[in-house]
Amino acid sequence: MRVAAALLVLAALSACGLQPMYAGGASSPVAQGLAAVDVPAIPGRDGWLVRNALTERMGAAGEAAPTYRLDVRLDDALEALGVLNDDTISRERRILRARYQLVDLTNGEILLDATAGSDAGIDVVSSEYATIAAEQRALENLAADVAERITRRVALTLREREGGAENP
């Protein structure tokens, strides 16, 4: 009975045109498209972290000339959330937002113009070193999260451009 239900679910999924994005592994059109994306330097420590995460996820083009360019602008903010009676801060929120554009280098067309962002809460403790370390770790985690969101959106855009996306 369970096997029949599983087969029915699989048949329904295949009927709607759902298919893996990276079918074909590194030779798939999406993986090849991501590898052909150049990510120029992004200013600041947050930019360095995001750019490294993006190039790692996209498998930056080594031998081939890039076909696309991903322009990224970041906004990193640290806000006080919890304020005690003696006006000391007990909690902070770090926010990392990215505005990015995927540009086709062959004709200069902007294929994607979007934003991505993430935020994290940080406890402010009596040790200044521990608070600074928590703020830096939060930035590292946020950079990885924002890079993942950007990579996913770029992959979807490249997939649609290749004509591989089918609507269920």
Side-chain angles (χ1 to χ4, degrees), residues 90 140 166:
S90 64
E140 293 167 6
E166 295 178 16

Side-chain angles (χ1 to χ4, degrees), residues 22 27 37 41 51 74 96 107 131-132 150 154-155:
Y22 296 103
S27 62
V37 175
R51 182 180 185 276
L74 296 175
L96 184 64
N107 58 14
T131 301
I132 291 170
I150 292 172
V154 168

Side-chain angles (χ1 to χ4, degrees), residues 40-64:
I42 307 167
R45 183 172 193 275
D46 54 352
W48 180 79
L49 290 167
V50 170
R51 182 180 185 276
N52 284 349
L54 284 169
T55 55
E56 178 182 308
R57 283 167 176 72
M58 291 186 181
E63 309 90 36

Side-chain angles (χ1 to χ4, degrees), residues 1-80:
M1 182 71 157
R2 289 184 181 155
V3 173
L7 290 174
L8 183 62
V9 168
L10 287 174
L13 281 177
S14 66
C16 78
L18 198 64
Q19 53 185 294
M21 184 175 303
Y22 296 103
S27 62
S28 71
V30 172
Q32 293 294 318
L34 285 175
V37 175
D38 175 45
V39 183
I42 307 167
R45 183 172 193 275
D46 54 352
W48 180 79
L49 290 167
V50 170
R51 182 180 185 276
N52 284 349
L54 284 169
T55 55
E56 178 182 308
R57 283 167 176 72
M58 291 186 181
E63 309 90 36
T67 309
Y68 308 100
R69 184 183 70 239
L70 184 65
D71 295 324
V72 181
R73 285 178 286 148
L74 296 175
D75 181 29
D76 180 23
L78 194 60
E79 298 177 348

